[in-house]
């Protein structure tokens, strides 16, 4: 490895080469244009410190003085330490002597020895005290630092202040976290700060890095650059090396170096920070040390390499909520979005090739940082307002896959918001996502499929995926099951695209249904959730239900009903319910005890699971051969259903009303649920504005009127007047169900009076002319009953 040391004014430079033999000096150069002569022109030295001692008198004097002060300080602390140990030993002996005897004395002696051994094994950080002795440094060193502009004095003087910031968490930390409206869930909790155990044998790299940080704190500009280069040669991905830098205050120095005007120091510092910030503890320490504002400011640097390194460091640090918030609050989002415009970078002045990089690389690093920041809702909005979507769309046209991955990843995160989905359609991004599904890069395929999954909530987007030929590559990717992350993304995209019936027909044409059934076993839950969701959508068509049954899919679906994953249970119950529409499939579900499993899910603590299970029970009860007997065979099942009418969840209430509608078709079961108090509970729900609940509630009331005095009881519980208001709804299905319920209730005279008083006749007259035949008949029948009561009343009056 070669390091170049430039003397002041650029008159001459040395090239130091480090090899297996040692350190030696190469030829110099007279000006910036000449090439370096790599021939050895000096003796070989065992290390770089020995070399610098030989070549520089000032360096040798400074090192000698520094070593003397260090030894004096070390001896002073050793004396103090021995004195403290002696005092502790004496106090322990006296305490033991006055204690409870020999056993206690022996125990305390053992503890004392353990404490002493522990102290001896602790890493010695005594050299850190050299920071407090700046005033005692020689005038030679002061003049030397003055000669180099005094740029590094700030680094050393602020290191102790930085450690104070690190040790004490800011008082407003909780407020910062709670104020961030974020959609992410990873790394939100601050992990416990674990340091190296004192009784563990630390590798030599740990101590070598500590020595380098010592020189980093006390060295001049040239020494600092050399130390940064040496530190970069260590395996900074290893946690030991990362924590070694942090434990001796190296983070403060690296961050403070970013405030200097020396580009080499900034580059070296950022390269190290970029590597070590992969560690969760390090990235949190950087935020605690207020490092992010400094790094964000570097994004305005004219040097592209600094922009890239700063953006990559932000990408690593912004893995948790507080960091993302800090990036936004210090203007980082706007600066990062600006990096995406690589056409604008081309117009900027060029600098030395040493610091040059490509414009596309700058855009890639900016997209990488935005990808991390986009996990926050507030940052998503900031990216959109800063004009990030058109720039991301422009970058999608590049052929560089390493650039496409963070671009698509950012779009994937942002597509969860409706505003973004509209903008993505407007910028014709779907076409580019579909095109990249055919890429050879698996990671790019994964993120494109995930972005489609997020966007396909919208019907127009689902149509665009089909029109641009995206369904076939999605179906093809189902056959590659080794990469589970990609498989989860692909099955998710297929699930959402299957909501459109036209897409389902295409998937059947590409034989994707059979492949999906084959994925119902031996897959992780994130894949199963999407596979079952896709099957549930596809089984809305008769042809696909037949395919699923013939491929043995029903048994696999029923087996999944015993799981505990909430999202998986919601999708499985929907798929089983879709299959139960087919009588032949219902026979298999019943034989496999699937209906009983669905009924047991009504006890699930999650409302979504309860509602989905109830919706699935409706076709099961409707299409079972002996539905009444099957329902009665579930001990406590009818009481459970009635009690669920006390739920606060509207979806649960609507689904349970639908179940009651099917249960009430059997007279014996209707009698049982009447005894359990179904009428007053249904009556209590009538004052609702939820259209879905209105429809199924009216249907349940209509069928429950078929038993005993239930018609009269509904009137007594004030259910009639609210039902009349349902006729003003804009939903035709609500009109039909309400008219049928009122028709049944109108057989009671008091209910007819209530209907007339609430204006039901006029509303029903308008519905007599409806094209819906069931609605016509129910409206006419209700009016007939009201009219018959009116005639009977009039006749009674005259007679």
């Amino acid at each position: 490895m070669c390091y170049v040391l430039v003397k002041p004014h650029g008159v001459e430079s040395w090239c130091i080469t480090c090899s297996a033999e040692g350190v030696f000096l190469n030829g110099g150069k007279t000006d910036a244009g000449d090439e370096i002569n790599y021939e050895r022109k000096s003796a070989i030295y065992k290390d770089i410190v020995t070399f610098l001692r030989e070549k520089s008198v000032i360096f040798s004097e400074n090192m000698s003085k520094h070593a003397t002060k260090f030894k004096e300080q070390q001896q002073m602390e050793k004396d103090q330490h021995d004195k403290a140990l002696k005092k502790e030993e004496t106090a322990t002996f006296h305490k033991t002597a006055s204690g409870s005897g020999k056993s206690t004395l022996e125990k305390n002696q053992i503890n004392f020895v353990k404490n002493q051994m522990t102290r001896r094994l602790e890493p010695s950080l005594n050299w850190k005290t050299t920071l407090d002795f700046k005033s005692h440094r020689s005038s030679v060193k002061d003049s030397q630092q003055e000669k180099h502009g005094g740029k590094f004095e700030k680094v050393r003087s602020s290191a102790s202040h930085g450690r104070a910031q690190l040790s004490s968490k800011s008082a407003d930390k909780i407020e910062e976290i709670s104020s961030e409206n974020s959609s992410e869930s990873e790394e939100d909790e601050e992990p416990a700060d674990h340091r190296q155990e004192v009784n563990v044998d630390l590798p030599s790299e740990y101590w070598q890095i500590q020595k380098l940080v010592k020189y980093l704190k006390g060295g001049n500009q040239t020494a600092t650059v050399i130390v940064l280069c040496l530190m970069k040669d260590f395996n900074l991905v290893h946690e030991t090396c990362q924590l070694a830098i942090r434990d001796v205050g190296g983070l403060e120095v690296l961050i403070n170096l970013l405030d200097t005007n020396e580009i080499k120091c900034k580059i070296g510092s950022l390269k190290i920070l970029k590597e070590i910030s992969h560690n969760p503890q390090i990235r949190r320490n950087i935020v605690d040390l207020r490092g992010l504002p400094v790094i964000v400011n570097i994004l305005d640097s004219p040097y592209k390499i600094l922009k890239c390194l700063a953006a990559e460091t932000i990408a690593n640090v912004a893995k948790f909520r507080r960091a993302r918030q800090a990036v936004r609050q210090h203007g980082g989002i706007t600066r990062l979005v600006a990096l995406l415009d690589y056409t604008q970078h081309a117009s900027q002045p060029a600098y030395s090739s040493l610091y040059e990089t490509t414009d596309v690389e700058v855009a890639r690093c900016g997209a990488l940082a935005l990808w991390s920041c986009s996990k926050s809702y507030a940052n998503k909005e900031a990216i959109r307002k800063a004009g990030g979507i058109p720039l991301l769309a422009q970058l999608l046209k590049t052929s560089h896959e390493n650039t496409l991955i963070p671009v698509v990843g950012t779009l994937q995160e942002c597509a969860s918001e409706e505003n973004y989905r509209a903008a993505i359609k407007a910028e014709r991004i779907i076409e580019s996502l579909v095109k990249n599904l055919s890429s050879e890069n698996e990671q790019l395929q994964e993120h494109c499929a995930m972005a489609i999954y997020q966007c396909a909530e919208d019907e127009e987007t689902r149509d665009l995926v089909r029109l641009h030929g995206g369904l076939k590559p999605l179906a093809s990717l189902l056959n590659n099951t080794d990469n589970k992350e990609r498989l989860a993304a692909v099955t998710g995209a297929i699930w959402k695209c299957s909501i459109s019936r036209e897409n389902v027909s295409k998937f059947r044409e590409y034989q994707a249904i059979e492949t999906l059934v084959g994925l119902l076993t031996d897959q992780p839950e994130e894949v199963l959730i999407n596979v079952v969701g896709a099957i549930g959508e596809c089984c809305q068509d008769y042809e696909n239900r037949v395919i699923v049954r013939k491929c043995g899919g029903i048994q696999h679906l029923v087996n999944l009903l015993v799981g505990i994953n909430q999202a998986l249970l919601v999708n499985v119950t929907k798929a089983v319910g879709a299959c139960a529409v087919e009588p032949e499939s219902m026979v298999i579900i019943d034989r496999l005890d699937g209906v009983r499993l669905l009924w047991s899910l009504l006890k699930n603590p999650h409302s979504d699971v309860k509602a989905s299970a109830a919706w699935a029970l409706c076709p099961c009860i409707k299409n079972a051969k002996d539905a009444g007997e099957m329902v009665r065979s579930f001990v406590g099942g009818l009481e459970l259903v009635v009690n669920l009418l006390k739920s606060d969840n509207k979806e649960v209430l609507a689904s349970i009303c639908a179940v009651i509608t099917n249960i009430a078709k059997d007279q014996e079961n209707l009698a049982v649920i009447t005894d359990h108090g179904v009428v007053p509970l249904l009556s209590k729900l009538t004052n609702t504005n939820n259209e879905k609940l209105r429809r199924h509630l009216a249907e349940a009331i209509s069928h429950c009127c078929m038993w005993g005095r239930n018609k009269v009881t509904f009137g007594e519980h004030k259910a009639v007047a609210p039902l009349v208001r349902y006729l003003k709804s804009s939903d035709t299905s609500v009109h039909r169900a309400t008219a049928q319920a009122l028709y049944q209730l109108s057989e009671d005279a008091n209910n007819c009076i209530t209907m007339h008083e609430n204006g039901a006749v006029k509303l029903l007259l308008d519905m007599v002319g409806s094209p819906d035949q069931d609605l016509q008949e129910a409206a006419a029948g209700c009016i007939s009953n009201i009219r018959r009561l009116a005639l009977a009343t009039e006749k009674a009056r005259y007679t």
Side-chain angles (χ1 to χ4, degrees):
M1 179 167 292
C2 183
Y3 302 98
V4 178
L5 302 185
V6 181
K7 288 187 175 181
H9 312 299
V11 175
E12 183 181 359
S13 65
W14 294 341
C15 183
I16 303 172
T17 298
C18 301
S19 67
E21 300 175 282
V23 181
F24 57 86
L25 180 66
N26 294 342
K29 59 180 181 179
T30 57
D31 55 70
D34 293 341
E35 294 186 358
I36 297 173
N37 180 8
Y38 289 95
E39 293 296 325
R40 179 165 64 84
K41 292 191 175 182
S42 76
I44 297 176
Y45 301 89
K46 66 176 182 178
D47 54 37
I48 196 167
V49 175
T50 306
F51 169 79
L52 291 174
R53 282 179 181 274
E54 180 72 20
K55 293 294 179 182
S56 173
V57 177
I58 296 176
F59 181 84
S60 180
E61 291 177 358
N62 286 339
M63 288 297 294
S64 299
K65 293 177 181 179
H66 189 75
T68 302
K69 290 180 180 179
F70 178 71
K71 288 179 181 178
E72 291 176 357
Q73 178 65 20
Q74 196 174 33
Q75 183 62 38
M76 185 186 303
E77 292 202 0
K78 184 175 181 301
D79 294 341
Q80 293 176 352
H81 181 65
D82 292 343
K83 189 181 296 184
L85 286 178
K86 187 174 181 181
K87 186 181 294 184
E88 182 178 347
E89 183 177 5
T90 305
T92 304
F93 176 78
H94 287 303
K95 182 177 179 181
T96 305
S98 59
S100 58
K102 182 178 179 180
S103 60
T104 308
L105 174 62
E106 290 175 350
K107 183 177 179 182
N108 287 336
Q109 287 175 340
I110 292 172
N111 289 337
F112 174 75
V113 173
K114 285 184 178 179
N115 291 336
Q116 192 172 14
M117 289 294 293
T118 301
R119 289 191 178 92
R120 287 175 183 172
L121 289 171
E122 284 186 4
S124 176
L125 306 180
N126 290 340
W127 66 270
K128 288 200 295 184
T129 58
T130 57
L131 289 170
D132 301 324
F133 288 89
K134 294 195 300 289
S135 58
H136 299 292
R137 287 181 178 158
S138 65
S139 59
V140 177
K141 186 160 189 175
D142 289 339
S143 62
Q144 183 182 10
Q145 298 206 355
E146 220 175 283
K147 181 178 179 181
H148 289 282
K151 293 176 180 119
F152 297 90
E153 187 66 26
K154 180 180 178 182
V155 175
R156 294 189 295 275
S157 63
S158 60
S160 59
H161 174 65
R163 276 196 301 278
Q165 287 181 331
L166 177 59
S167 60
S168 61
K169 301 292 183 182
S170 58
D172 58 345
K173 173 181 167 186
I174 297 176
E175 182 180 351
E176 284 182 353
I177 294 177
S178 61
S179 64
E180 176 77 350
N181 184 4
S182 177
S183 61
E184 82 278 8
S185 59
E186 93 296 340
E187 282 197 34
D188 281 349
E189 296 298 326
E190 298 272 355
D193 187 13
H194 70 278
R195 295 177 180 265
Q196 296 287 337
E197 295 292 337
V198 294
N199 60 346
V200 175
D201 292 333
L202 296 171
S204 60
E205 290 85 353
Y206 185 89
W207 308 107
Q208 291 171 7
I209 289 179
Q210 288 196 344
K211 289 179 182 178
L212 288 175
V213 175
K214 165 185 162 183
Y215 292 118
L216 188 66
K217 292 180 176 181
N220 56 23
Q221 174 188 342
T222 304
T224 299
V225 174
I226 295 173
V227 169
L228 290 172
C229 293
L230 291 172
M231 287 177 66
K232 184 67 176 66
D233 289 341
F234 283 90
N235 183 15
L236 297 179
V237 178
H238 198 279
E239 187 179 27
T240 300
C241 298
Q242 296 167 348
L243 298 183
I245 295 173
R246 183 198 67 174
D247 290 348
V248 292
L251 277 179
E252 299 95 312
V253 181
L254 290 172
I255 291 172
N256 289 330
L257 282 173
L258 300 179
D259 275 335
T260 66
N261 295 325
E262 297 299 326
I263 183 172
K264 291 180 182 178
C265 294
K266 287 185 176 182
I267 292 173
S269 179
L270 280 173
K271 283 185 176 181
I272 295 171
L273 287 171
K274 183 188 77 171
E275 294 296 330
I276 66 177
S277 57
H278 287 286
N279 186 307
Q281 298 176 52
I282 298 292
R283 64 175 72 120
R284 294 179 189 280
N285 295 152
I286 291 173
V287 175
D288 292 336
L289 289 167
R290 303 293 188 264
L292 273 179
V294 182
I295 299 173
V296 166
N297 288 335
I298 294 177
L299 294 173
D300 292 329
S301 170
Y303 296 101
K304 295 176 183 177
I305 189 171
L306 283 178
K307 291 180 178 180
C308 289
L309 290 171
E312 287 184 291
T313 306
I314 290 172
N316 293 338
V317 176
K319 298 290 186 184
F320 63 105
R321 179 183 296 154
R322 194 155 49 91
R324 286 189 278 271
Q325 186 183 39
V327 173
R328 184 182 72 254
Q329 290 177 343
H330 291 92
I333 300 297
T334 305
R335 291 180 171 99
L336 289 171
V337 169
L339 297 185
L340 301 179
D341 192 0
Y342 61 90
T343 57
Q344 181 182 0
H345 301 158
S347 63
Q348 294 179 356
Y351 289 86
S352 170
S353 59
L354 176 63
Y355 313 126
E356 196 60 55
T357 187
T358 63
D359 297 320
V360 175
E361 178 65 10
V362 174
R364 182 193 73 83
C365 296
L368 201 63
L370 288 174
W371 189 4
S372 294
C373 293
S374 62
K375 295 184 185 298
S376 161
Y377 171 76
N379 286 353
K380 290 175 187 177
E381 280 299 298
I383 294 170
R384 185 179 64 83
K385 291 177 180 178
I389 302 178
L391 294 174
L392 290 169
Q394 178 181 319
L395 283 172
L396 276 177
K397 298 174 184 177
T398 182
S399 59
H400 301 279
E401 288 184 346
N402 60 342
T403 302
L404 286 171
I405 290 171
V407 169
V408 176
T410 305
L411 288 170
Q412 165 201 325
E413 289 290 343
C414 295
S416 60
E417 303 301 324
E418 188 175 353
N419 290 337
Y420 267 92
R421 293 197 290 270
I424 286 172
K425 285 186 295 183
E427 295 292 337
R428 303 183 64 180
I429 290 176
I430 298 298
E431 183 177 356
S432 299
L433 294 175
V434 168
K435 177 183 176 182
N436 287 308
L437 283 174
S438 302
S439 167
E440 296 297 325
N441 189 301
E442 292 188 2
Q443 191 178 4
L444 180 57
Q445 290 174 339
E446 173 192 340
H447 292 303
C448 286
M450 201 66 184
I452 292 173
Y453 165 77
Q454 295 282 7
C455 295
E457 294 283 348
D458 178 74
E459 183 179 0
E460 187 178 347
T461 300
R462 295 194 293 269
D463 293 339
L464 287 173
V465 174
R466 182 182 69 256
L467 293 173
H468 292 303
L471 301 182
K472 189 170 185 178
L474 285 173
S476 299
L477 288 172
L478 281 177
N479 297 312
N480 302 321
T481 59
D482 294 335
N483 187 330
K484 300 303 180 184
E485 289 78 11
R486 182 184 61 179
L487 184 60
V490 169
T491 51
I494 291 176
W495 171 22
K496 295 302 179 182
C497 288
S498 298
I499 298 174
S500 296
R501 302 274 71 81
E502 297 87 349
N503 292 349
V504 171
S505 300
K506 285 292 184 180
F507 284 132
R508 183 168 62 249
E509 179 184 335
Y510 302 139
Q511 297 184 337
I513 313 298
E514 294 87 341
T515 309
L516 287 169
V517 173
L519 293 173
L520 285 173
T521 56
D522 301 325
Q523 297 296 335
E525 283 186 342
E526 55 268 23
V527 174
L528 286 174
I529 290 169
N530 297 335
V531 169
V532 175
I535 290 175
E537 294 296 340
C538 292
C539 283
Q540 303 300 318
D541 292 348
Y542 167 77
E543 295 86 351
N544 295 334
R545 291 196 292 267
V546 173
I547 293 173
V548 171
R549 185 180 74 247
K550 289 183 177 179
C551 292
I554 294 177
Q555 182 167 357
H556 296 314
L557 290 172
V558 172
N559 290 342
L560 292 174
L561 288 173
V562 298
I564 58 174
N565 184 288
Q566 179 184 353
L568 180 57
L569 286 174
V570 169
N571 286 356
V572 170
T573 49
K574 182 176 181 179
V576 172
C579 292
V581 174
E582 198 66 32
E584 294 181 12
S585 298
M586 181 57 215
V587 172
I588 301 174
I589 294 171
D590 193 16
R591 187 180 71 244
L592 295 172
D593 212 21
V595 182
R596 186 181 299 276
L597 292 173
L598 286 172
W599 213 287
S600 67
L601 289 175
L602 296 178
K603 300 177 183 177
N604 193 282
H606 299 288
S607 297
D608 291 342
V609 177
K610 289 179 185 176
S612 186
W615 289 122
L617 282 171
C618 294
C620 291
I621 299 171
K622 184 177 180 180
N623 295 307
K625 287 186 177 179
D626 190 358
E629 183 60 35
M630 179 187 71
V631 170
R632 286 191 294 275
S633 68
F634 304 138
V635 178
L638 292 173
E639 184 179 4
L640 172 63
V641 169
V642 173
N643 285 333
L644 284 173
L645 289 173
K646 300 174 184 177
S647 173
D648 295 328
N649 186 283
K650 294 293 190 294
E651 188 69 19
V652 171
L653 292 173
S655 61
I656 292 299
C657 286
V659 172
I660 289 173
T661 298
N662 287 279
I663 290 174
K665 293 176 182 178
D666 180 88
Q667 289 292 299
E668 192 171 340
N669 289 336
L670 176 55
V672 174
I673 61 174
T674 300
D675 290 341
H676 285 305
V678 71
V679 172
L681 288 172
L682 290 174
S683 301
K684 189 177 180 181
L685 297 175
T686 52
N687 289 299
T688 179
N689 294 321
N690 185 286
E691 296 294 323
K692 192 174 186 179
L693 177 55
R694 280 181 167 186
R695 173 193 167 186
H696 293 287
L697 176 58
E699 288 179 351
I701 291 174
S702 175
H703 284 81
C704 287
C705 285
M706 304 294 186
W707 178 258
R709 294 185 68 258
N710 284 357
K711 299 181 184 67
V712 177
T713 310
F714 276 118
E716 292 172 350
H717 284 88
K718 312 297 183 185
V720 177
L723 280 174
V724 173
R725 291 196 290 271
Y726 292 7
L727 295 175
K728 298 177 182 179
S729 169
S730 58
D731 190 340
T732 304
S733 61
V734 175
H735 294 165
R736 181 173 56 252
T738 304
Q740 290 171 341
L742 292 175
Y743 171 61
Q744 295 296 329
L745 291 167
S746 64
E747 294 183 6
D748 176 68
N750 291 326
N751 290 342
C752 286
I753 295 171
T754 304
M755 293 177 200
H756 189 272
E757 290 175 347
N758 286 274
V761 175
K762 182 179 180 181
L763 295 170
L764 290 169
L765 281 171
D766 293 337
M767 295 176 186
V768 171
S770 170
D772 187 320
Q773 187 174 351
D774 291 337
L775 177 56
Q776 279 185 23
E777 292 178 358
C782 185
I783 293 173
S784 175
N785 288 338
I786 294 173
R787 179 59 179 163
R788 189 178 297 113
L789 175 64
L791 290 174
T793 303
E794 187 177 353
K795 183 178 180 180
R797 185 184 305 161
Y798 285 105
T799 59

